[in-house]
mmCIF file of all heavy atoms in Angstrom:
data_model
loop_
_atom_site.group_PDB
_atom_site.id
_atom_site.type_symbol
_atom_site.label_atom_id
_atom_site.label_comp_id
_atom_site.label_asym_id
_atom_site.label_seq_id
_atom_site.Cartn_x
_atom_site.Cartn_y
_atom_site.Cartn_z
ATOM 1 N N SER U 1443 16.385 -3.465 19.036
ATOM 2 C CA SER U 1443 16.172 -4.303 20.212
ATOM 3 C C SER U 1443 14.732 -4.777 20.329
ATOM 4 O O SER U 1443 14.451 -5.762 20.976
ATOM 5 C CB SER U 1443 16.553 -3.529 21.464
ATOM 6 O OG SER U 1443 15.810 -2.339 21.502
ATOM 7 N N PHE U 1444 13.800 -4.082 19.656
ATOM 8 C CA PHE U 1444 12.399 -4.426 19.895
ATOM 9 C C PHE U 1444 11.790 -5.262 18.781
ATOM 10 O O PHE U 1444 10.602 -5.471 18.733
ATOM 11 C CB PHE U 1444 11.562 -3.165 20.129
ATOM 12 C CG PHE U 1444 11.717 -2.119 19.063
ATOM 13 C CD1 PHE U 1444 10.881 -2.106 17.963
ATOM 14 C CD2 PHE U 1444 12.692 -1.153 19.177
ATOM 15 C CE1 PHE U 1444 11.031 -1.136 16.984
ATOM 16 C CE2 PHE U 1444 12.842 -0.183 18.203
ATOM 17 C CZ PHE U 1444 12.013 -0.175 17.110
ATOM 18 N N VAL U 1445 12.622 -5.731 17.854
ATOM 19 C CA VAL U 1445 12.043 -6.550 16.796
ATOM 20 C C VAL U 1445 13.005 -7.674 16.427
ATOM 21 O O VAL U 1445 14.212 -7.496 16.395
ATOM 22 C CB VAL U 1445 11.680 -5.685 15.570
ATOM 23 C CG1 VAL U 1445 12.905 -5.068 14.944
ATOM 24 C CG2 VAL U 1445 10.935 -6.489 14.539
ATOM 25 N N HIS U 1446 12.468 -8.845 16.203
ATOM 26 C CA HIS U 1446 13.287 -10.006 15.851
ATOM 27 C C HIS U 1446 12.750 -10.560 14.545
ATOM 28 O O HIS U 1446 11.950 -11.488 14.541
ATOM 29 C CB HIS U 1446 13.215 -11.060 16.965
ATOM 30 C CG HIS U 1446 13.558 -10.490 18.293
ATOM 31 N ND1 HIS U 1446 14.846 -10.263 18.694
ATOM 32 C CD2 HIS U 1446 12.771 -10.061 19.292
ATOM 33 C CE1 HIS U 1446 14.850 -9.721 19.893
ATOM 34 N NE2 HIS U 1446 13.600 -9.584 20.286
ATOM 35 N N PRO U 1447 13.141 -9.981 13.432
ATOM 36 C CA PRO U 1447 12.515 -10.374 12.170
ATOM 37 C C PRO U 1447 12.886 -11.795 11.755
ATOM 38 O O PRO U 1447 14.036 -12.186 11.893
ATOM 39 C CB PRO U 1447 13.098 -9.375 11.165
ATOM 40 C CG PRO U 1447 14.372 -8.916 11.749
ATOM 41 C CD PRO U 1447 14.228 -9.015 13.232
ATOM 42 N N HIS U 1448 11.927 -12.551 11.311
ATOM 43 C CA HIS U 1448 12.271 -13.814 10.674
ATOM 44 C C HIS U 1448 12.113 -13.617 9.176
ATOM 45 O O HIS U 1448 11.427 -12.689 8.726
ATOM 46 C CB HIS U 1448 11.454 -14.979 11.233
ATOM 47 C CG HIS U 1448 9.994 -14.715 11.312
ATOM 48 N ND1 HIS U 1448 9.142 -15.035 10.315
ATOM 49 C CD2 HIS U 1448 9.249 -14.118 12.273
ATOM 50 C CE1 HIS U 1448 7.923 -14.660 10.643
ATOM 51 N NE2 HIS U 1448 7.952 -14.101 11.829
ATOM 52 N N ALA U 1449 12.773 -14.509 8.416
ATOM 53 C CA ALA U 1449 13.005 -14.270 6.988
ATOM 54 C C ALA U 1449 11.767 -13.791 6.229
ATOM 55 O O ALA U 1449 11.841 -12.839 5.471
ATOM 56 C CB ALA U 1449 13.558 -15.526 6.359
ATOM 57 N N ASN U 1450 10.629 -14.455 6.405
ATOM 58 C CA ASN U 1450 9.490 -14.116 5.567
ATOM 59 C C ASN U 1450 8.481 -13.186 6.227
ATOM 60 O O ASN U 1450 7.396 -12.974 5.699
ATOM 61 C CB ASN U 1450 8.794 -15.396 5.093
ATOM 62 C CG ASN U 1450 9.655 -16.115 4.068
ATOM 63 O OD1 ASN U 1450 10.512 -15.494 3.429
ATOM 64 N ND2 ASN U 1450 9.455 -17.412 3.926
ATOM 65 N N SER U 1451 8.816 -12.648 7.391
ATOM 66 C CA SER U 1451 7.923 -11.663 8.003
ATOM 67 C C SER U 1451 8.022 -10.386 7.165
ATOM 68 O O SER U 1451 8.996 -10.189 6.431
ATOM 69 C CB SER U 1451 8.362 -11.360 9.429
ATOM 70 O OG SER U 1451 9.579 -10.629 9.398
ATOM 71 N N PRO U 1452 7.037 -9.493 7.262
ATOM 72 C CA PRO U 1452 7.119 -8.263 6.450
ATOM 73 C C PRO U 1452 8.403 -7.477 6.718
ATOM 74 O O PRO U 1452 9.071 -7.043 5.763
ATOM 75 C CB PRO U 1452 5.877 -7.477 6.895
ATOM 76 C CG PRO U 1452 4.912 -8.523 7.348
ATOM 77 C CD PRO U 1452 5.743 -9.606 7.970
ATOM 78 N N TRP U 1453 8.797 -7.321 7.976
ATOM 79 C CA TRP U 1453 10.008 -6.540 8.248
ATOM 80 C C TRP U 1453 11.245 -7.286 7.732
ATOM 81 O O TRP U 1453 12.154 -6.688 7.160
ATOM 82 C CB TRP U 1453 10.108 -6.219 9.746
ATOM 83 C CG TRP U 1453 11.284 -5.350 10.104
ATOM 84 C CD1 TRP U 1453 12.398 -5.732 10.798
ATOM 85 C CD2 TRP U 1453 11.481 -3.960 9.784
ATOM 86 N NE1 TRP U 1453 13.274 -4.667 10.929
ATOM 87 C CE2 TRP U 1453 12.733 -3.573 10.317
ATOM 88 C CE3 TRP U 1453 10.730 -3.008 9.085
ATOM 89 C CZ2 TRP U 1453 13.240 -2.277 10.175
ATOM 90 C CZ3 TRP U 1453 11.237 -1.714 8.956
ATOM 91 C CH2 TRP U 1453 12.470 -1.366 9.485
ATOM 92 N N GLY U 1454 11.260 -8.609 7.894
ATOM 93 C CA GLY U 1454 12.370 -9.419 7.375
ATOM 94 C C GLY U 1454 12.465 -9.298 5.856
ATOM 95 O O GLY U 1454 13.558 -9.186 5.285
ATOM 96 N N THR U 1455 11.308 -9.296 5.196
ATOM 97 C CA THR U 1455 11.274 -9.134 3.736
ATOM 98 C C THR U 1455 11.849 -7.774 3.349
ATOM 99 O O THR U 1455 12.700 -7.659 2.451
ATOM 100 C CB THR U 1455 9.811 -9.264 3.225
ATOM 101 O OG1 THR U 1455 9.369 -10.601 3.471
ATOM 102 C CG2 THR U 1455 9.688 -8.957 1.751
ATOM 103 N N TYR U 1456 11.410 -6.745 4.057
ATOM 104 C CA TYR U 1456 11.900 -5.385 3.744
ATOM 105 C C TYR U 1456 13.419 -5.288 3.949
ATOM 106 O O TYR U 1456 14.134 -4.758 3.080
ATOM 107 C CB TYR U 1456 11.158 -4.347 4.617
ATOM 108 C CG TYR U 1456 11.829 -3.005 4.592
ATOM 109 C CD1 TYR U 1456 11.736 -2.176 3.474
ATOM 110 C CD2 TYR U 1456 12.616 -2.570 5.667
ATOM 111 C CE1 TYR U 1456 12.393 -0.959 3.422
ATOM 112 C CE2 TYR U 1456 13.273 -1.352 5.628
ATOM 113 C CZ TYR U 1456 13.167 -0.553 4.509
ATOM 114 O OH TYR U 1456 13.829 0.648 4.452
ATOM 115 N N ILE U 1457 13.915 -5.833 5.055
ATOM 116 C CA ILE U 1457 15.359 -5.751 5.337
ATOM 117 C C ILE U 1457 16.144 -6.453 4.225
ATOM 118 O O ILE U 1457 17.174 -5.965 3.760
ATOM 119 C CB ILE U 1457 15.685 -6.381 6.722
ATOM 120 C CG1 ILE U 1457 15.063 -5.528 7.843
ATOM 121 C CG2 ILE U 1457 17.196 -6.547 6.934
ATOM 122 C CD1 ILE U 1457 15.648 -4.149 8.010
ATOM 123 N N SER U 1458 15.631 -7.585 3.768
ATOM 124 C CA SER U 1458 16.335 -8.303 2.699
ATOM 125 C C SER U 1458 16.303 -7.477 1.403
ATOM 126 O O SER U 1458 17.267 -7.474 0.625
ATOM 127 C CB SER U 1458 15.721 -9.699 2.558
ATOM 128 O OG SER U 1458 15.389 -9.983 1.251
ATOM 129 N N GLN U 1459 15.222 -6.739 1.167
ATOM 130 C CA GLN U 1459 15.160 -5.880 -0.030
ATOM 131 C C GLN U 1459 16.180 -4.741 0.065
ATOM 132 O O GLN U 1459 16.805 -4.372 -0.936
ATOM 133 C CB GLN U 1459 13.730 -5.326 -0.192
ATOM 134 C CG GLN U 1459 12.722 -6.435 -0.531
ATOM 135 C CD GLN U 1459 11.273 -6.028 -0.363
ATOM 136 O OE1 GLN U 1459 10.959 -4.969 0.185
ATOM 137 N NE2 GLN U 1459 10.367 -6.881 -0.828
ATOM 138 N N VAL U 1460 16.372 -4.210 1.270
ATOM 139 C CA VAL U 1460 17.380 -3.151 1.450
ATOM 140 C C VAL U 1460 18.780 -3.742 1.213
ATOM 141 O O VAL U 1460 19.603 -3.148 0.498
ATOM 142 C CB VAL U 1460 17.287 -2.524 2.862
ATOM 143 C CG1 VAL U 1460 18.457 -1.566 3.112
ATOM 144 C CG2 VAL U 1460 15.960 -1.791 3.034
ATOM 145 N N ASP U 1461 19.032 -4.925 1.783
ATOM 146 C CA ASP U 1461 20.359 -5.543 1.599
ATOM 147 C C ASP U 1461 20.686 -5.713 0.113
ATOM 148 O O ASP U 1461 21.827 -5.559 -0.304
ATOM 149 C CB ASP U 1461 20.415 -6.906 2.307
ATOM 150 C CG ASP U 1461 20.500 -6.753 3.821
ATOM 151 O OD1 ASP U 1461 20.918 -5.664 4.283
ATOM 152 O OD2 ASP U 1461 20.140 -7.704 4.544
ATOM 153 N N ARG U 1462 19.661 -6.021 -0.666
ATOM 154 C CA ARG U 1462 19.898 -6.247 -2.101
ATOM 155 C C ARG U 1462 20.230 -4.961 -2.849
ATOM 156 O O ARG U 1462 20.861 -5.010 -3.907
ATOM 157 C CB ARG U 1462 18.656 -6.892 -2.734
ATOM 158 C CG ARG U 1462 18.523 -8.337 -2.331
ATOM 159 C CD ARG U 1462 17.235 -8.951 -2.789
ATOM 160 N NE ARG U 1462 17.189 -10.337 -2.319
ATOM 161 C CZ ARG U 1462 16.596 -11.322 -2.962
ATOM 162 N NH1 ARG U 1462 15.996 -11.108 -4.099
ATOM 163 N NH2 ARG U 1462 16.602 -12.539 -2.470
ATOM 164 N N VAL U 1463 19.794 -3.824 -2.343
ATOM 165 C CA VAL U 1463 20.026 -2.581 -3.101
ATOM 166 C C VAL U 1463 21.350 -1.914 -2.718
ATOM 167 O O VAL U 1463 21.896 -1.130 -3.501
ATOM 168 C CB VAL U 1463 18.836 -1.598 -2.934
ATOM 169 C CG1 VAL U 1463 18.863 -0.861 -1.617
ATOM 170 C CG2 VAL U 1463 18.831 -0.603 -4.080
ATOM 171 N N VAL U 1464 21.884 -2.247 -1.551
ATOM 172 C CA VAL U 1464 23.090 -1.546 -1.062
ATOM 173 C C VAL U 1464 24.226 -1.518 -2.096
ATOM 174 O O VAL U 1464 24.842 -0.466 -2.301
ATOM 175 C CB VAL U 1464 23.537 -2.129 0.304
ATOM 176 C CG1 VAL U 1464 24.904 -1.571 0.710
ATOM 177 C CG2 VAL U 1464 22.497 -1.809 1.376
ATOM 178 N N PRO U 1465 24.506 -2.627 -2.813
ATOM 179 C CA PRO U 1465 25.607 -2.579 -3.787
ATOM 180 C C PRO U 1465 25.413 -1.537 -4.900
ATOM 181 O O PRO U 1465 26.374 -1.194 -5.592
ATOM 182 C CB PRO U 1465 25.618 -3.994 -4.393
ATOM 183 C CG PRO U 1465 24.916 -4.850 -3.410
ATOM 184 C CD PRO U 1465 23.918 -3.978 -2.726
ATOM 185 N N TYR U 1466 24.195 -1.041 -5.075
ATOM 186 C CA TYR U 1466 23.931 -0.083 -6.159
ATOM 187 C C TYR U 1466 23.836 1.358 -5.659
ATOM 188 O O TYR U 1466 23.448 2.249 -6.408
ATOM 189 C CB TYR U 1466 22.629 -0.483 -6.901
ATOM 190 C CG TYR U 1466 22.716 -1.901 -7.408
ATOM 191 C CD1 TYR U 1466 22.150 -2.951 -6.690
ATOM 192 C CD2 TYR U 1466 23.439 -2.192 -8.565
ATOM 193 C CE1 TYR U 1466 22.281 -4.256 -7.116
ATOM 194 C CE2 TYR U 1466 23.575 -3.505 -9.002
ATOM 195 C CZ TYR U 1466 23.000 -4.534 -8.271
ATOM 196 O OH TYR U 1466 23.137 -5.822 -8.680
ATOM 197 N N LEU U 1467 24.196 1.578 -4.409
ATOM 198 C CA LEU U 1467 24.011 2.918 -3.836
ATOM 199 C C LEU U 1467 25.274 3.776 -3.858
ATOM 200 O O LEU U 1467 25.244 4.930 -3.421
ATOM 201 C CB LEU U 1467 23.481 2.811 -2.390
ATOM 202 C CG LEU U 1467 22.068 2.222 -2.255
ATOM 203 C CD1 LEU U 1467 21.664 2.122 -0.790
ATOM 204 C CD2 LEU U 1467 21.053 3.060 -3.035
ATOM 205 N N GLY U 1468 26.371 3.229 -4.336
ATOM 206 C CA GLY U 1468 27.618 4.003 -4.412
ATOM 207 C C GLY U 1468 28.007 4.555 -3.049
ATOM 208 O O GLY U 1468 27.851 3.867 -2.028
ATOM 209 N N HIS U 1469 28.441 5.832 -3.040
ATOM 210 C CA HIS U 1469 28.910 6.410 -1.773
ATOM 211 C C HIS U 1469 27.778 6.573 -0.749
ATOM 212 O O HIS U 1469 28.023 6.686 0.447
ATOM 213 C CB HIS U 1469 29.597 7.764 -2.034
ATOM 214 C CG HIS U 1469 28.617 8.872 -2.273
ATOM 215 N ND1 HIS U 1469 27.960 9.036 -3.473
ATOM 216 C CD2 HIS U 1469 28.161 9.853 -1.444
ATOM 217 C CE1 HIS U 1469 27.146 10.082 -3.376
ATOM 218 N NE2 HIS U 1469 27.248 10.594 -2.162
ATOM 219 N N LEU U 1470 26.522 6.558 -1.240
ATOM 220 C CA LEU U 1470 25.389 6.722 -0.308
ATOM 221 C C LEU U 1470 25.182 5.494 0.573
ATOM 222 O O LEU U 1470 24.459 5.539 1.572
ATOM 223 C CB LEU U 1470 24.102 7.011 -1.083
ATOM 224 C CG LEU U 1470 24.050 8.370 -1.790
ATOM 225 C CD1 LEU U 1470 22.862 8.432 -2.738
ATOM 226 C CD2 LEU U 1470 23.971 9.509 -0.767
ATOM 227 N N ALA U 1471 25.831 4.378 0.210
ATOM 228 C CA ALA U 1471 25.701 3.145 1.011
ATOM 229 C C ALA U 1471 26.098 3.401 2.466
ATOM 230 O O ALA U 1471 25.614 2.728 3.375
ATOM 231 C CB ALA U 1471 26.562 2.040 0.412
ATOM 232 N N ARG U 1472 26.920 4.398 2.659
ATOM 233 C CA ARG U 1472 27.349 4.775 4.001
ATOM 234 C C ARG U 1472 26.152 5.085 4.922
ATOM 235 O O ARG U 1472 26.208 4.917 6.128
ATOM 236 C CB ARG U 1472 28.242 6.009 3.827
ATOM 237 C CG ARG U 1472 28.607 6.734 5.055
ATOM 238 C CD ARG U 1472 29.610 7.833 4.743
ATOM 239 N NE ARG U 1472 29.897 8.504 5.989
ATOM 240 C CZ ARG U 1472 29.558 9.755 6.253
ATOM 241 N NH1 ARG U 1472 28.989 10.501 5.338
ATOM 242 N NH2 ARG U 1472 29.821 10.267 7.432
ATOM 243 N N TRP U 1473 25.064 5.563 4.299
ATOM 244 C CA TRP U 1473 23.883 5.959 5.074
ATOM 245 C C TRP U 1473 22.821 4.856 5.126
ATOM 246 O O TRP U 1473 21.733 5.069 5.647
ATOM 247 C CB TRP U 1473 23.248 7.203 4.442
ATOM 248 C CG TRP U 1473 24.112 8.410 4.485
ATOM 249 C CD1 TRP U 1473 24.958 8.861 3.506
ATOM 250 C CD2 TRP U 1473 24.252 9.325 5.573
ATOM 251 N NE1 TRP U 1473 25.594 9.999 3.912
ATOM 252 C CE2 TRP U 1473 25.178 10.316 5.182
ATOM 253 C CE3 TRP U 1473 23.664 9.408 6.854
ATOM 254 C CZ2 TRP U 1473 25.540 11.361 6.016
ATOM 255 C CZ3 TRP U 1473 24.031 10.456 7.671
ATOM 256 C CH2 TRP U 1473 24.960 11.424 7.258
ATOM 257 N N SER U 1474 23.099 3.687 4.553
ATOM 258 C CA SER U 1474 22.016 2.718 4.334
ATOM 259 C C SER U 1474 21.407 2.174 5.634
ATOM 260 O O SER U 1474 20.248 1.760 5.643
ATOM 261 C CB SER U 1474 22.490 1.563 3.452
ATOM 262 O OG SER U 1474 23.542 0.880 4.083
ATOM 263 N N GLU U 1475 22.166 2.208 6.714
ATOM 264 C CA GLU U 1475 21.620 1.731 7.988
ATOM 265 C C GLU U 1475 20.371 2.543 8.389
ATOM 266 O O GLU U 1475 19.448 2.018 9.027
ATOM 267 C CB GLU U 1475 22.696 1.818 9.080
ATOM 268 C CG GLU U 1475 22.310 1.269 10.440
ATOM 269 C CD GLU U 1475 22.103 -0.246 10.475
ATOM 270 O OE1 GLU U 1475 22.591 -0.961 9.579
ATOM 271 O OE2 GLU U 1475 21.421 -0.717 11.426
ATOM 272 N N THR U 1476 20.341 3.797 7.954
ATOM 273 C CA THR U 1476 19.163 4.659 8.199
ATOM 274 C C THR U 1476 17.874 3.973 7.744
ATOM 275 O O THR U 1476 16.830 4.093 8.377
ATOM 276 C CB THR U 1476 19.292 5.964 7.352
ATOM 277 O OG1 THR U 1476 20.521 6.558 7.670
ATOM 278 C CG2 THR U 1476 18.154 6.924 7.584
ATOM 279 N N LEU U 1477 17.979 3.260 6.593
ATOM 280 C CA LEU U 1477 16.787 2.644 6.013
ATOM 281 C C LEU U 1477 16.272 1.484 6.860
ATOM 282 O O LEU U 1477 15.127 1.073 6.733
ATOM 283 C CB LEU U 1477 17.095 2.137 4.600
ATOM 284 C CG LEU U 1477 17.554 3.202 3.603
ATOM 285 C CD1 LEU U 1477 18.152 2.558 2.359
ATOM 286 C CD2 LEU U 1477 16.374 4.104 3.227
ATOM 287 N N LYS U 1478 17.142 0.940 7.706
ATOM 288 C CA LYS U 1478 16.768 -0.236 8.503
ATOM 289 C C LYS U 1478 16.237 0.144 9.882
ATOM 290 O O LYS U 1478 15.981 -0.724 10.705
ATOM 291 C CB LYS U 1478 17.988 -1.152 8.661
ATOM 292 C CG LYS U 1478 18.495 -1.717 7.345
ATOM 293 C CD LYS U 1478 19.598 -2.716 7.606
ATOM 294 C CE LYS U 1478 20.076 -3.367 6.337
ATOM 295 N NZ LYS U 1478 21.128 -4.351 6.591
ATOM 296 N N ARG U 1479 16.126 1.447 10.122
ATOM 297 C CA ARG U 1479 15.680 1.895 11.437
ATOM 298 C C ARG U 1479 14.522 2.870 11.321
ATOM 299 O O ARG U 1479 14.682 3.948 10.758
ATOM 300 C CB ARG U 1479 16.841 2.598 12.158
ATOM 301 C CG ARG U 1479 17.843 1.584 12.577
ATOM 302 C CD ARG U 1479 19.156 2.122 12.965
ATOM 303 N NE ARG U 1479 20.024 0.988 13.144
ATOM 304 C CZ ARG U 1479 20.210 0.371 14.314
ATOM 305 N NH1 ARG U 1479 19.659 0.829 15.412
ATOM 306 N NH2 ARG U 1479 20.983 -0.687 14.381
ATOM 307 N N PRO U 1480 13.363 2.518 11.853
ATOM 308 C CA PRO U 1480 12.288 3.502 11.856
ATOM 309 C C PRO U 1480 12.682 4.689 12.727
ATOM 310 O O PRO U 1480 13.242 4.501 13.810
ATOM 311 C CB PRO U 1480 11.102 2.755 12.462
ATOM 312 C CG PRO U 1480 11.563 1.401 12.815
ATOM 313 C CD PRO U 1480 13.014 1.266 12.527
ATOM 314 N N LYS U 1481 12.406 5.871 12.239
ATOM 315 C CA LYS U 1481 12.767 7.065 13.006
ATOM 316 C C LYS U 1481 12.011 7.110 14.334
ATOM 317 O O LYS U 1481 12.557 7.457 15.370
ATOM 318 C CB LYS U 1481 12.432 8.312 12.182
ATOM 319 C CG LYS U 1481 12.675 9.625 12.911
ATOM 320 C CD LYS U 1481 12.263 10.792 12.051
ATOM 321 C CE LYS U 1481 12.359 12.116 12.794
ATOM 322 N NZ LYS U 1481 13.749 12.446 13.172
ATOM 323 N N ARG U 1482 10.718 6.772 14.285
ATOM 324 C CA ARG U 1482 9.889 6.951 15.488
ATOM 325 C C ARG U 1482 8.793 5.891 15.482
ATOM 326 O O ARG U 1482 8.127 5.696 14.453
ATOM 327 C CB ARG U 1482 9.265 8.347 15.399
ATOM 328 C CG ARG U 1482 8.659 8.880 16.632
ATOM 329 C CD ARG U 1482 8.217 10.338 16.410
ATOM 330 N NE ARG U 1482 9.293 11.301 16.522
ATOM 331 C CZ ARG U 1482 9.474 12.352 15.713
ATOM 332 N NH1 ARG U 1482 8.645 12.569 14.709
ATOM 333 N NH2 ARG U 1482 10.469 13.179 15.905
ATOM 334 N N THR U 1483 8.607 5.200 16.610
ATOM 335 C CA THR U 1483 7.509 4.230 16.711
ATOM 336 C C THR U 1483 6.688 4.555 17.949
ATOM 337 O O THR U 1483 7.232 4.719 19.033
ATOM 338 C CB THR U 1483 8.017 2.782 16.832
ATOM 339 O OG1 THR U 1483 8.824 2.683 17.987
ATOM 340 C CG2 THR U 1483 8.811 2.332 15.633
ATOM 341 N N LEU U 1484 5.394 4.650 17.759
ATOM 342 C CA LEU U 1484 4.503 4.993 18.873
ATOM 343 C C LEU U 1484 3.510 3.846 19.058
ATOM 344 O O LEU U 1484 2.852 3.432 18.098
ATOM 345 C CB LEU U 1484 3.762 6.297 18.528
ATOM 346 C CG LEU U 1484 2.760 6.834 19.545
ATOM 347 C CD1 LEU U 1484 3.462 7.222 20.856
ATOM 348 C CD2 LEU U 1484 2.041 8.060 18.970
ATOM 349 N N ILE U 1485 3.427 3.337 20.292
ATOM 350 C CA ILE U 1485 2.444 2.297 20.616
ATOM 351 C C ILE U 1485 1.426 2.932 21.553
ATOM 352 O O ILE U 1485 1.814 3.569 22.539
ATOM 353 C CB ILE U 1485 3.095 1.098 21.336
ATOM 354 C CG1 ILE U 1485 4.253 0.548 20.506
ATOM 355 C CG2 ILE U 1485 2.067 0.008 21.631
ATOM 356 C CD1 ILE U 1485 4.996 -0.607 21.180
ATOM 357 N N VAL U 1486 0.155 2.817 21.207
ATOM 358 C CA VAL U 1486 -0.854 3.467 22.051
ATOM 359 C C VAL U 1486 -1.917 2.469 22.508
ATOM 360 O O VAL U 1486 -2.261 1.533 21.789
ATOM 361 C CB VAL U 1486 -1.542 4.649 21.309
ATOM 362 C CG1 VAL U 1486 -0.536 5.762 21.041
ATOM 363 C CG2 VAL U 1486 -2.217 4.213 20.023
ATOM 364 N N ASP U 1487 -2.408 2.703 23.722
ATOM 365 C CA ASP U 1487 -3.549 1.951 24.224
ATOM 366 C C ASP U 1487 -4.806 2.694 23.787
ATOM 367 O O ASP U 1487 -4.883 3.917 23.903
ATOM 368 C CB ASP U 1487 -3.458 1.893 25.762
ATOM 369 C CG ASP U 1487 -4.676 1.216 26.365
ATOM 370 O OD1 ASP U 1487 -5.199 0.265 25.750
ATOM 371 O OD2 ASP U 1487 -5.109 1.647 27.458
#
Side-chain angles (χ1 to χ4, degrees):
S1443 56
F1444 52 91
V1445 64
H1446 307 281
H1448 48 92
N1450 289 338
S1451 70
W1453 183 250
T1455 295
Y1456 166 74
I1457 293 293
S1458 129
Q1459 293 165 350
V1460 172
D1461 286 339
R1462 287 173 181 212
V1463 78
V1464 171
Y1466 304 98
L1467 294 178
H1469 78 282
L1470 292 169
R1472 169 174 179 247
W1473 295 95
S1474 62
E1475 184 67 20
T1476 305
L1477 300 166
K1478 297 186 177 181
R1479 288 165 188 268
K1481 176 182 174 64
R1482 194 174 279 138
T1483 59
L1484 179 64
I1485 305 177
V1486 294
D1487 176 36

